[in-house]
Amino acid sequence: NVLSVPRNFVVLRNDKYVVYKAESASLGRDGNYTPVEVQLGIRDGINVEILSGAQEGDCLVKPGRKAEGSRKD
């Protein structure tokens, strides 16, 4: 199984790739997000494989959007 997220969830920040994770019980609706550095794998132009840094079930947030869960393909 492969953990993947839409490519627009991944941001280049200070020469590192990060995703934003909702940390609170409100799943990000309160605007509390933590940047998490991730290592990327295969990219198909739509989705990006996450090798490390985020896990299945993490509530990841597209910059400027509400929280969504990551998924395994």
Side-chain angles (χ1 to χ4, degrees):
N1 290 334
V2 174
L3 179 66
S4 66
V5 297
R7 68 181 172 100
N8 54 0
F9 276 50
V10 180
V11 177
L12 185 60
R13 180 175 162 184
N14 298 324
D15 295 323
K16 298 179 185 208
Y17 291 106
V18 298
V19 294
Y20 290 90
K21 180 179 173 183
E23 293 293 336
S24 69
S26 69
L27 298 177
R29 288 184 293 274
D30 59 3
N32 291 322
Y33 312 118
T34 301
V36 177
E37 183 178 348
V38 292
Q39 300 297 317
L40 304 182
I42 297 171
R43 304 163 211 186
D44 67 5
I46 298 170
N47 296 304
V48 179
E49 179 182 19
I50 303 292
L51 300 175
S52 66
Q55 301 176 15
E56 181 180 8
D58 285 349
C59 186
L60 303 180
V61 179
K62 178 180 172 185
R65 296 291 181 121
K66 65 179 184 177
E68 296 183 27
S70 59
R71 67 175 200 276
K72 276 199 171 187
D73 290 335

Short mmCIF file of all heavy atoms in Angstrom, two decimals:
data_model
loop_
_atom_site.label_atom_id
_atom_site.label_comp_id
_atom_site.label_asym_id
_atom_site.label_seq_id
_atom_site.Cartn_x
_atom_site.Cartn_y
_atom_site.Cartn_z
N ASN A 1 0.83 -1.19 0.00
CA ASN A 1 0.00 0.00 0.00
C ASN A 1 0.87 1.25 0.00
O ASN A 1 1.94 1.27 0.60
CB ASN A 1 -0.91 0.03 1.20
CG ASN A 1 -1.99 -1.02 1.14
OD1 ASN A 1 -2.37 -1.45 0.06
ND2 ASN A 1 -2.48 -1.43 2.28
N VAL A 2 0.36 2.29 -0.61
CA VAL A 2 1.10 3.54 -0.76
C VAL A 2 0.27 4.67 -0.17
O VAL A 2 -0.92 4.78 -0.46
CB VAL A 2 1.38 3.82 -2.25
CG1 VAL A 2 2.02 5.17 -2.43
CG2 VAL A 2 2.26 2.72 -2.84
N LEU A 3 0.91 5.51 0.64
CA LEU A 3 0.25 6.71 1.15
C LEU A 3 0.44 7.82 0.14
O LEU A 3 1.57 8.09 -0.29
CB LEU A 3 0.86 7.11 2.49
CG LEU A 3 0.27 8.36 3.14
CD1 LEU A 3 -1.18 8.12 3.54
CD2 LEU A 3 1.10 8.77 4.34
N SER A 4 -0.66 8.44 -0.28
CA SER A 4 -0.56 9.53 -1.26
C SER A 4 -1.50 10.65 -0.87
O SER A 4 -2.48 10.45 -0.17
CB SER A 4 -0.88 9.02 -2.66
OG SER A 4 -2.24 8.62 -2.75
N VAL A 5 -1.14 11.84 -1.35
CA VAL A 5 -1.98 13.03 -1.15
C VAL A 5 -2.02 13.78 -2.48
O VAL A 5 -1.12 13.63 -3.32
CB VAL A 5 -1.43 13.96 -0.04
CG1 VAL A 5 -1.44 13.28 1.31
CG2 VAL A 5 -0.06 14.50 -0.38
N PRO A 6 -3.03 14.60 -2.69
CA PRO A 6 -3.04 15.44 -3.89
C PRO A 6 -1.79 16.34 -3.88
O PRO A 6 -1.38 16.82 -2.83
CB PRO A 6 -4.31 16.27 -3.74
CG PRO A 6 -5.20 15.44 -2.86
CD PRO A 6 -4.27 14.75 -1.91
N ARG A 7 -1.20 16.56 -5.04
CA ARG A 7 0.06 17.30 -5.11
C ARG A 7 -0.05 18.71 -4.56
O ARG A 7 0.92 19.25 -4.05
CB ARG A 7 0.60 17.33 -6.53
CG ARG A 7 -0.23 18.13 -7.50
CD ARG A 7 0.35 18.08 -8.90
NE ARG A 7 -0.57 18.71 -9.83
CZ ARG A 7 -0.45 19.95 -10.27
NH1 ARG A 7 0.56 20.69 -9.89
NH2 ARG A 7 -1.33 20.44 -11.10
N ASN A 8 -1.25 19.32 -4.62
CA ASN A 8 -1.38 20.68 -4.11
C ASN A 8 -1.49 20.74 -2.59
O ASN A 8 -1.62 21.82 -2.03
CB ASN A 8 -2.55 21.40 -4.79
CG ASN A 8 -3.86 20.68 -4.70
OD1 ASN A 8 -3.93 19.60 -4.12
ND2 ASN A 8 -4.89 21.24 -5.28
N PHE A 9 -1.42 19.61 -1.90
CA PHE A 9 -1.32 19.59 -0.45
C PHE A 9 0.12 19.77 0.01
O PHE A 9 0.38 20.06 1.17
CB PHE A 9 -1.84 18.27 0.12
CG PHE A 9 -3.32 18.22 0.30
CD1 PHE A 9 -4.19 18.58 -0.71
CD2 PHE A 9 -3.86 17.77 1.49
CE1 PHE A 9 -5.57 18.53 -0.54
CE2 PHE A 9 -5.23 17.71 1.68
CZ PHE A 9 -6.08 18.09 0.67
N VAL A 10 1.09 19.56 -0.90
CA VAL A 10 2.51 19.62 -0.57
C VAL A 10 3.06 20.98 -0.95
O VAL A 10 2.85 21.47 -2.06
CB VAL A 10 3.29 18.50 -1.30
CG1 VAL A 10 4.76 18.55 -0.95
CG2 VAL A 10 2.69 17.14 -0.95
N VAL A 11 3.79 21.60 -0.01
CA VAL A 11 4.33 22.94 -0.18
C VAL A 11 5.85 22.89 0.00
O VAL A 11 6.35 22.21 0.89
CB VAL A 11 3.72 23.90 0.86
CG1 VAL A 11 4.31 25.28 0.76
CG2 VAL A 11 2.22 23.94 0.73
N LEU A 12 6.57 23.60 -0.85
CA LEU A 12 8.01 23.75 -0.67
C LEU A 12 8.24 24.93 0.25
O LEU A 12 7.83 26.06 -0.05
CB LEU A 12 8.70 23.97 -2.02
CG LEU A 12 10.22 24.03 -2.00
CD1 LEU A 12 10.80 22.73 -1.45
CD2 LEU A 12 10.75 24.30 -3.39
N ARG A 13 8.84 24.68 1.39
CA ARG A 13 9.05 25.71 2.43
C ARG A 13 10.47 25.59 2.96
O ARG A 13 10.84 24.55 3.50
CB ARG A 13 8.03 25.50 3.54
CG ARG A 13 8.12 26.46 4.66
CD ARG A 13 6.98 26.22 5.64
NE ARG A 13 7.30 26.85 6.89
CZ ARG A 13 6.56 26.77 7.97
NH1 ARG A 13 5.45 26.08 7.95
NH2 ARG A 13 6.92 27.37 9.07
N ASN A 14 11.26 26.64 2.76
CA ASN A 14 12.66 26.64 3.22
C ASN A 14 13.43 25.42 2.68
O ASN A 14 14.11 24.74 3.43
CB ASN A 14 12.74 26.69 4.74
CG ASN A 14 12.14 27.95 5.30
OD1 ASN A 14 12.26 29.03 4.71
ND2 ASN A 14 11.47 27.84 6.43
N ASP A 15 13.26 25.15 1.40
CA ASP A 15 13.94 24.03 0.72
C ASP A 15 13.53 22.66 1.22
O ASP A 15 14.26 21.68 1.03
CB ASP A 15 15.46 24.18 0.79
CG ASP A 15 15.94 25.40 0.04
OD1 ASP A 15 15.36 25.72 -1.03
OD2 ASP A 15 16.89 26.06 0.51
N LYS A 16 12.39 22.55 1.89
CA LYS A 16 11.89 21.27 2.36
C LYS A 16 10.42 21.16 1.98
O LYS A 16 9.69 22.15 1.96
CB LYS A 16 12.03 21.16 3.88
CG LYS A 16 13.48 21.21 4.29
CD LYS A 16 13.63 21.11 5.77
CE LYS A 16 15.11 21.31 6.06
NZ LYS A 16 15.56 20.66 7.22
N TYR A 17 9.98 19.95 1.70
CA TYR A 17 8.58 19.71 1.40
C TYR A 17 7.82 19.51 2.70
O TYR A 17 8.26 18.75 3.58
CB TYR A 17 8.41 18.50 0.50
CG TYR A 17 8.93 18.73 -0.90
CD1 TYR A 17 10.12 18.17 -1.32
CD2 TYR A 17 8.23 19.54 -1.78
CE1 TYR A 17 10.60 18.39 -2.61
CE2 TYR A 17 8.70 19.77 -3.06
CZ TYR A 17 9.89 19.19 -3.46
OH TYR A 17 10.35 19.43 -4.72
N VAL A 18 6.69 20.19 2.83
CA VAL A 18 5.86 20.06 4.02
C VAL A 18 4.40 19.88 3.63
O VAL A 18 3.98 20.29 2.54
CB VAL A 18 5.99 21.26 4.99
CG1 VAL A 18 7.39 21.42 5.50
CG2 VAL A 18 5.50 22.54 4.34
N VAL A 19 3.66 19.26 4.53
CA VAL A 19 2.20 19.24 4.48
C VAL A 19 1.73 19.85 5.79
O VAL A 19 2.49 19.93 6.75
CB VAL A 19 1.63 17.81 4.29
CG1 VAL A 19 2.01 17.24 2.95
CG2 VAL A 19 2.07 16.89 5.41
N TYR A 20 0.49 20.28 5.82
CA TYR A 20 -0.06 20.87 7.04
C TYR A 20 -1.03 19.89 7.68
O TYR A 20 -1.94 19.38 7.03
CB TYR A 20 -0.74 22.21 6.73
CG TYR A 20 0.29 23.24 6.37
CD1 TYR A 20 0.69 23.42 5.06
CD2 TYR A 20 0.91 23.99 7.36
CE1 TYR A 20 1.66 24.35 4.73
CE2 TYR A 20 1.89 24.92 7.04
CZ TYR A 20 2.26 25.09 5.72
OH TYR A 20 3.24 26.00 5.40
N LYS A 21 -0.81 19.64 8.96
CA LYS A 21 -1.58 18.65 9.71
C LYS A 21 -2.42 19.38 10.76
O LYS A 21 -1.91 20.21 11.50
CB LYS A 21 -0.62 17.67 10.38
CG LYS A 21 -1.28 16.61 11.19
CD LYS A 21 -0.23 15.69 11.77
CE LYS A 21 -0.85 14.69 12.73
NZ LYS A 21 0.16 13.84 13.36
N ALA A 22 -3.71 19.04 10.83
CA ALA A 22 -4.58 19.56 11.87
C ALA A 22 -4.27 18.81 13.16
O ALA A 22 -4.26 17.59 13.18
CB ALA A 22 -6.04 19.39 11.47
N GLU A 23 -4.02 19.55 14.22
CA GLU A 23 -3.61 18.94 15.49
C GLU A 23 -4.71 18.84 16.53
O GLU A 23 -4.62 18.09 17.46
CB GLU A 23 -2.44 19.73 16.09
CG GLU A 23 -1.17 19.64 15.28
CD GLU A 23 -0.57 18.24 15.27
OE1 GLU A 23 -0.82 17.45 16.19
OE2 GLU A 23 0.17 17.95 14.32
N SER A 24 -5.77 19.61 16.38
CA SER A 24 -6.78 19.66 17.44
C SER A 24 -7.95 18.73 17.15
O SER A 24 -8.12 18.24 16.04
CB SER A 24 -7.28 21.08 17.61
OG SER A 24 -8.03 21.46 16.48
N ALA A 25 -8.78 18.56 18.16
CA ALA A 25 -9.96 17.71 18.01
C ALA A 25 -10.95 18.29 17.01
O ALA A 25 -11.82 17.58 16.51
CB ALA A 25 -10.64 17.54 19.37
N SER A 26 -10.81 19.57 16.68
CA SER A 26 -11.73 20.19 15.72
C SER A 26 -11.32 19.90 14.28
O SER A 26 -11.95 20.39 13.35
CB SER A 26 -11.79 21.70 15.94
OG SER A 26 -10.55 22.28 15.57
N LEU A 27 -10.26 19.10 14.10
CA LEU A 27 -9.78 18.69 12.78
C LEU A 27 -9.49 19.88 11.86
O LEU A 27 -9.76 19.85 10.68
CB LEU A 27 -10.79 17.75 12.11
CG LEU A 27 -11.03 16.45 12.85
CD1 LEU A 27 -12.09 15.62 12.15
CD2 LEU A 27 -9.75 15.66 13.01
N GLY A 28 -8.92 20.93 12.44
CA GLY A 28 -8.48 22.06 11.63
C GLY A 28 -9.51 23.14 11.42
O GLY A 28 -9.19 24.19 10.88
N ARG A 29 -10.74 22.90 11.81
CA ARG A 29 -11.75 23.93 11.60
C ARG A 29 -11.45 25.19 12.40
O ARG A 29 -11.94 26.26 12.08
CB ARG A 29 -13.14 23.39 11.94
CG ARG A 29 -13.63 22.38 10.90
CD ARG A 29 -15.04 21.93 11.20
NE ARG A 29 -15.13 21.14 12.42
CZ ARG A 29 -14.91 19.84 12.50
NH1 ARG A 29 -14.59 19.15 11.43
NH2 ARG A 29 -15.04 19.21 13.64
N ASP A 30 -10.61 25.07 13.45
CA ASP A 30 -10.24 26.23 14.24
C ASP A 30 -9.00 26.93 13.70
O ASP A 30 -8.55 27.92 14.25
CB ASP A 30 -10.02 25.84 15.70
CG ASP A 30 -8.94 24.80 15.87
OD1 ASP A 30 -8.29 24.40 14.86
OD2 ASP A 30 -8.71 24.36 17.00
N GLY A 31 -8.44 26.43 12.61
CA GLY A 31 -7.28 27.05 11.99
C GLY A 31 -5.95 26.66 12.60
O GLY A 31 -4.92 27.25 12.26
N ASN A 32 -5.91 25.67 13.48
CA ASN A 32 -4.66 25.23 14.10
C ASN A 32 -4.03 24.10 13.29
O ASN A 32 -4.50 22.97 13.33
CB ASN A 32 -4.90 24.76 15.54
CG ASN A 32 -5.25 25.91 16.44
OD1 ASN A 32 -4.70 27.00 16.31
ND2 ASN A 32 -6.17 25.68 17.35
N TYR A 33 -2.97 24.43 12.55
CA TYR A 33 -2.28 23.46 11.71
C TYR A 33 -0.80 23.47 12.04
O TYR A 33 -0.25 24.51 12.40
CB TYR A 33 -2.43 23.81 10.23
CG TYR A 33 -3.85 24.13 9.82
CD1 TYR A 33 -4.18 25.38 9.33
CD2 TYR A 33 -4.84 23.17 9.92
CE1 TYR A 33 -5.48 25.67 8.95
CE2 TYR A 33 -6.14 23.46 9.54
CZ TYR A 33 -6.45 24.70 9.06
OH TYR A 33 -7.73 24.99 8.69
N THR A 34 -0.16 22.34 11.88
CA THR A 34 1.27 22.21 12.10
C THR A 34 1.94 21.78 10.81
O THR A 34 1.52 20.79 10.21
CB THR A 34 1.54 21.15 13.20
OG1 THR A 34 0.88 21.53 14.39
CG2 THR A 34 3.02 20.99 13.45
N PRO A 35 2.99 22.49 10.36
CA PRO A 35 3.72 22.02 9.18
C PRO A 35 4.54 20.77 9.55
O PRO A 35 5.17 20.73 10.61
CB PRO A 35 4.62 23.19 8.82
CG PRO A 35 4.73 24.01 10.05
CD PRO A 35 3.51 23.75 10.87
N VAL A 36 4.47 19.78 8.70
CA VAL A 36 5.19 18.52 8.91
C VAL A 36 6.06 18.26 7.68
O VAL A 36 5.54 18.20 6.56
CB VAL A 36 4.19 17.36 9.11
CG1 VAL A 36 4.92 16.04 9.25
CG2 VAL A 36 3.28 17.61 10.29
N GLU A 37 7.35 18.11 7.90
CA GLU A 37 8.25 17.81 6.78
C GLU A 37 7.99 16.40 6.29
O GLU A 37 7.82 15.46 7.09
CB GLU A 37 9.70 17.94 7.21
CG GLU A 37 10.66 17.72 6.08
CD GLU A 37 12.12 17.90 6.47
OE1 GLU A 37 12.39 18.41 7.56
OE2 GLU A 37 12.98 17.49 5.66
N VAL A 38 7.92 16.24 4.97
CA VAL A 38 7.68 14.93 4.37
C VAL A 38 8.75 14.62 3.33
O VAL A 38 9.33 15.53 2.73
CB VAL A 38 6.27 14.83 3.72
CG1 VAL A 38 5.20 14.87 4.78
CG2 VAL A 38 6.05 15.93 2.71
N GLN A 39 8.99 13.35 3.13
CA GLN A 39 9.85 12.86 2.06
C GLN A 39 8.94 12.34 0.97
O GLN A 39 8.04 11.54 1.23
CB GLN A 39 10.78 11.75 2.56
CG GLN A 39 11.70 12.19 3.69
CD GLN A 39 12.65 13.27 3.25
OE1 GLN A 39 13.23 13.21 2.17
NE2 GLN A 39 12.81 14.28 4.08
N LEU A 40 9.17 12.80 -0.25
CA LEU A 40 8.31 12.44 -1.37
C LEU A 40 8.86 11.27 -2.16
O LEU A 40 10.07 11.09 -2.27
CB LEU A 40 8.13 13.64 -2.30
CG LEU A 40 7.59 14.92 -1.66
CD1 LEU A 40 7.43 16.01 -2.71
CD2 LEU A 40 6.29 14.67 -0.93
N GLY A 41 7.93 10.53 -2.75
CA GLY A 41 8.29 9.44 -3.64
C GLY A 41 7.79 9.76 -5.04
O GLY A 41 7.99 10.86 -5.55
N ILE A 42 7.09 8.81 -5.62
CA ILE A 42 6.62 8.93 -7.00
C ILE A 42 5.54 10.01 -7.10
O ILE A 42 4.69 10.13 -6.23
CB ILE A 42 6.07 7.57 -7.48
CG1 ILE A 42 7.19 6.54 -7.49
CG2 ILE A 42 5.42 7.70 -8.85
CD1 ILE A 42 6.72 5.13 -7.75
N ARG A 43 5.60 10.78 -8.18
CA ARG A 43 4.60 11.82 -8.46
C ARG A 43 4.03 11.56 -9.84
O ARG A 43 4.77 11.30 -10.78
CB ARG A 43 5.27 13.20 -8.44
CG ARG A 43 5.97 13.48 -7.14
CD ARG A 43 6.96 14.61 -7.27
NE ARG A 43 8.05 14.37 -6.34
CZ ARG A 43 9.01 15.21 -6.11
NH1 ARG A 43 9.06 16.35 -6.73
NH2 ARG A 43 9.95 14.91 -5.25
N ASP A 44 2.71 11.65 -9.96
CA ASP A 44 2.09 11.39 -11.26
C ASP A 44 1.43 12.63 -11.85
O ASP A 44 0.69 12.54 -12.82
CB ASP A 44 1.08 10.24 -11.16
CG ASP A 44 -0.14 10.57 -10.31
OD1 ASP A 44 -0.28 11.73 -9.84
OD2 ASP A 44 -0.97 9.66 -10.11
N GLY A 45 1.69 13.80 -11.26
CA GLY A 45 1.08 15.03 -11.74
C GLY A 45 -0.23 15.35 -11.04
O GLY A 45 -0.70 16.48 -11.08
N ILE A 46 -0.82 14.36 -10.40
CA ILE A 46 -2.07 14.56 -9.66
C ILE A 46 -1.84 14.30 -8.17
O ILE A 46 -2.21 15.10 -7.33
CB ILE A 46 -3.19 13.65 -10.19
CG1 ILE A 46 -3.48 14.02 -11.65
CG2 ILE A 46 -4.44 13.76 -9.33
CD1 ILE A 46 -4.40 13.05 -12.35
N ASN A 47 -1.22 13.16 -7.87
CA ASN A 47 -0.95 12.77 -6.48
C ASN A 47 0.54 12.63 -6.26
O ASN A 47 1.32 12.45 -7.21
CB ASN A 47 -1.64 11.45 -6.15
CG ASN A 47 -3.14 11.57 -6.21
OD1 ASN A 47 -3.72 12.42 -5.54
ND2 ASN A 47 -3.78 10.75 -7.02
N VAL A 48 0.93 12.68 -4.99
CA VAL A 48 2.32 12.55 -4.58
C VAL A 48 2.40 11.45 -3.52
O VAL A 48 1.62 11.45 -2.56
CB VAL A 48 2.85 13.87 -3.98
CG1 VAL A 48 4.28 13.73 -3.52
CG2 VAL A 48 2.72 15.00 -4.98
N GLU A 49 3.34 10.55 -3.69
CA GLU A 49 3.57 9.51 -2.70
C GLU A 49 4.33 10.11 -1.52
O GLU A 49 5.29 10.86 -1.70
CB GLU A 49 4.39 8.38 -3.33
CG GLU A 49 4.73 7.26 -2.38
CD GLU A 49 5.59 6.19 -3.04
OE1 GLU A 49 6.22 6.46 -4.08
OE2 GLU A 49 5.63 5.09 -2.49
N ILE A 50 3.89 9.80 -0.30
CA ILE A 50 4.56 10.24 0.92
C ILE A 50 5.31 9.04 1.49
O ILE A 50 4.70 8.06 1.90
CB ILE A 50 3.55 10.78 1.96
CG1 ILE A 50 2.73 11.92 1.38
CG2 ILE A 50 4.27 11.18 3.24
CD1 ILE A 50 3.48 13.18 1.11
N LEU A 51 6.64 9.15 1.53
CA LEU A 51 7.46 8.06 2.05
C LEU A 51 7.61 8.13 3.56
O LEU A 51 7.71 7.11 4.23
CB LEU A 51 8.84 8.08 1.39
CG LEU A 51 8.84 7.91 -0.13
CD1 LEU A 51 10.26 8.07 -0.67
CD2 LEU A 51 8.25 6.57 -0.53
N SER A 52 7.68 9.36 4.10
CA SER A 52 7.79 9.54 5.55
C SER A 52 7.31 10.92 5.93
O SER A 52 7.25 11.83 5.11
CB SER A 52 9.24 9.33 6.01
OG SER A 52 10.08 10.35 5.48
N GLY A 53 6.97 11.06 7.21
CA GLY A 53 6.55 12.35 7.74
C GLY A 53 5.06 12.42 8.04
O GLY A 53 4.66 13.01 9.03
N ALA A 54 4.23 11.85 7.20
CA ALA A 54 2.78 11.80 7.42
C ALA A 54 2.36 10.34 7.42
O ALA A 54 3.02 9.49 6.82
CB ALA A 54 2.03 12.56 6.34
N GLN A 55 1.27 10.07 8.11
CA GLN A 55 0.79 8.70 8.23
C GLN A 55 -0.67 8.60 7.81
O GLN A 55 -1.41 9.60 7.83
CB GLN A 55 0.91 8.23 9.68
CG GLN A 55 2.31 8.27 10.21
CD GLN A 55 2.36 7.89 11.67
OE1 GLN A 55 1.41 7.33 12.21
NE2 GLN A 55 3.46 8.18 12.33
N GLU A 56 -1.07 7.40 7.47
CA GLU A 56 -2.48 7.16 7.15
C GLU A 56 -3.33 7.61 8.33
O GLU A 56 -3.00 7.36 9.49
CB GLU A 56 -2.71 5.68 6.89
CG GLU A 56 -4.15 5.37 6.54
CD GLU A 56 -4.38 3.89 6.28
OE1 GLU A 56 -3.50 3.08 6.51
OE2 GLU A 56 -5.50 3.58 5.84
N GLY A 57 -4.41 8.32 8.05
CA GLY A 57 -5.30 8.80 9.09
C GLY A 57 -5.00 10.20 9.58
O GLY A 57 -5.82 10.81 10.25
N ASP A 58 -3.80 10.75 9.26
CA ASP A 58 -3.51 12.13 9.60
C ASP A 58 -4.51 13.04 8.90
O ASP A 58 -4.88 12.79 7.76
CB ASP A 58 -2.10 12.54 9.17
CG ASP A 58 -1.01 11.98 10.06
OD1 ASP A 58 -1.32 11.44 11.13
OD2 ASP A 58 0.18 12.10 9.66
N CYS A 59 -4.93 14.07 9.57
CA CYS A 59 -5.85 15.03 8.98
C CYS A 59 -5.02 16.13 8.35
O CYS A 59 -4.53 17.03 9.03
CB CYS A 59 -6.79 15.58 10.04
SG CYS A 59 -8.06 16.64 9.34
N LEU A 60 -4.81 16.02 7.04
CA LEU A 60 -3.98 16.97 6.31
C LEU A 60 -4.84 18.04 5.66
O LEU A 60 -5.98 17.79 5.30
CB LEU A 60 -3.15 16.24 5.25
CG LEU A 60 -2.26 15.13 5.78
CD1 LEU A 60 -1.49 14.49 4.64
CD2 LEU A 60 -1.32 15.63 6.86
N VAL A 61 -4.26 19.21 5.52
CA VAL A 61 -5.00 20.36 5.06
C VAL A 61 -4.35 20.95 3.81
O VAL A 61 -3.15 21.19 3.79
CB VAL A 61 -5.04 21.44 6.16
CG1 VAL A 61 -5.80 22.66 5.71
CG2 VAL A 61 -5.66 20.87 7.43
N LYS A 62 -5.15 21.16 2.80
CA LYS A 62 -4.68 21.89 1.62
C LYS A 62 -4.54 23.35 2.02
O LYS A 62 -5.46 23.91 2.62
CB LYS A 62 -5.69 21.74 0.49
CG LYS A 62 -5.32 22.49 -0.75
CD LYS A 62 -6.38 22.28 -1.80
CE LYS A 62 -6.13 23.18 -2.99
NZ LYS A 62 -7.22 23.07 -3.97
N PRO A 63 -3.41 23.96 1.73
CA PRO A 63 -3.25 25.37 2.11
C PRO A 63 -4.44 26.20 1.61
O PRO A 63 -4.84 26.13 0.46
CB PRO A 63 -1.96 25.78 1.40
CG PRO A 63 -1.19 24.49 1.30
CD PRO A 63 -2.24 23.44 1.06
N GLY A 64 -5.09 26.92 2.54
CA GLY A 64 -6.23 27.76 2.21
C GLY A 64 -7.56 27.03 2.20
O GLY A 64 -8.57 27.60 1.86
N ARG A 65 -7.58 25.76 2.57
CA ARG A 65 -8.82 24.97 2.54
C ARG A 65 -9.08 24.30 3.87
O ARG A 65 -8.25 24.29 4.75
CB ARG A 65 -8.74 23.87 1.45
CG ARG A 65 -8.64 24.40 0.07
CD ARG A 65 -9.96 25.05 -0.31
NE ARG A 65 -9.90 25.56 -1.66
CZ ARG A 65 -10.71 25.18 -2.60
NH1 ARG A 65 -11.64 24.32 -2.40
NH2 ARG A 65 -10.60 25.71 -3.81
N LYS A 66 -10.23 23.63 3.99
CA LYS A 66 -10.57 22.89 5.19
C LYS A 66 -9.81 21.56 5.24
O LYS A 66 -9.23 21.14 4.24
CB LYS A 66 -12.06 22.64 5.27
CG LYS A 66 -12.59 21.73 4.17
CD LYS A 66 -14.07 21.52 4.33
CE LYS A 66 -14.53 20.52 3.27
NZ LYS A 66 -15.92 20.20 3.38
N ALA A 67 -9.84 20.91 6.36
CA ALA A 67 -9.10 19.67 6.58
C ALA A 67 -9.70 18.51 5.80
O ALA A 67 -10.90 18.42 5.63
CB ALA A 67 -9.09 19.33 8.07
N GLU A 68 -8.82 17.61 5.35
CA GLU A 68 -9.23 16.37 4.69
C GLU A 68 -8.29 15.27 5.16
O GLU A 68 -7.14 15.52 5.47
CB GLU A 68 -9.12 16.49 3.17
CG GLU A 68 -10.04 17.52 2.58
CD GLU A 68 -9.96 17.55 1.07
OE1 GLU A 68 -9.63 16.51 0.47
OE2 GLU A 68 -10.23 18.61 0.49
N GLY A 69 -8.76 14.05 5.17
CA GLY A 69 -7.92 12.93 5.60
C GLY A 69 -7.02 12.43 4.48
O GLY A 69 -7.36 12.54 3.32
N SER A 70 -5.84 11.92 4.85
CA SER A 70 -4.97 11.29 3.87
C SER A 70 -5.50 9.91 3.57
O SER A 70 -6.32 9.37 4.31
CB SER A 70 -3.54 11.24 4.39
OG SER A 70 -3.48 10.51 5.59
N ARG A 71 -5.02 9.31 2.49
CA ARG A 71 -5.55 8.00 2.13
C ARG A 71 -4.43 7.10 1.64
O ARG A 71 -3.39 7.55 1.24
CB ARG A 71 -6.60 8.14 1.05
CG ARG A 71 -6.06 8.61 -0.28
CD ARG A 71 -7.17 8.60 -1.33
NE ARG A 71 -6.63 8.58 -2.65
CZ ARG A 71 -6.24 9.63 -3.33
NH1 ARG A 71 -6.29 10.82 -2.79
NH2 ARG A 71 -5.78 9.52 -4.56
N LYS A 72 -4.72 5.81 1.69
CA LYS A 72 -3.82 4.82 1.12
C LYS A 72 -4.45 4.33 -0.17
O LYS A 72 -5.63 4.09 -0.22
CB LYS A 72 -3.60 3.65 2.06
CG LYS A 72 -2.53 3.92 3.07
CD LYS A 72 -2.03 2.63 3.63
CE LYS A 72 -0.80 2.92 4.47
NZ LYS A 72 -0.16 1.74 4.92
N ASP A 73 -3.63 4.18 -1.22
CA ASP A 73 -4.10 3.64 -2.49
C ASP A 73 -3.64 2.21 -2.63
O ASP A 73 -2.64 1.83 -2.13
CB ASP A 73 -3.56 4.45 -3.67
CG ASP A 73 -4.20 5.84 -3.73
OD1 ASP A 73 -5.33 6.00 -3.24
OD2 ASP A 73 -3.57 6.72 -4.29
#
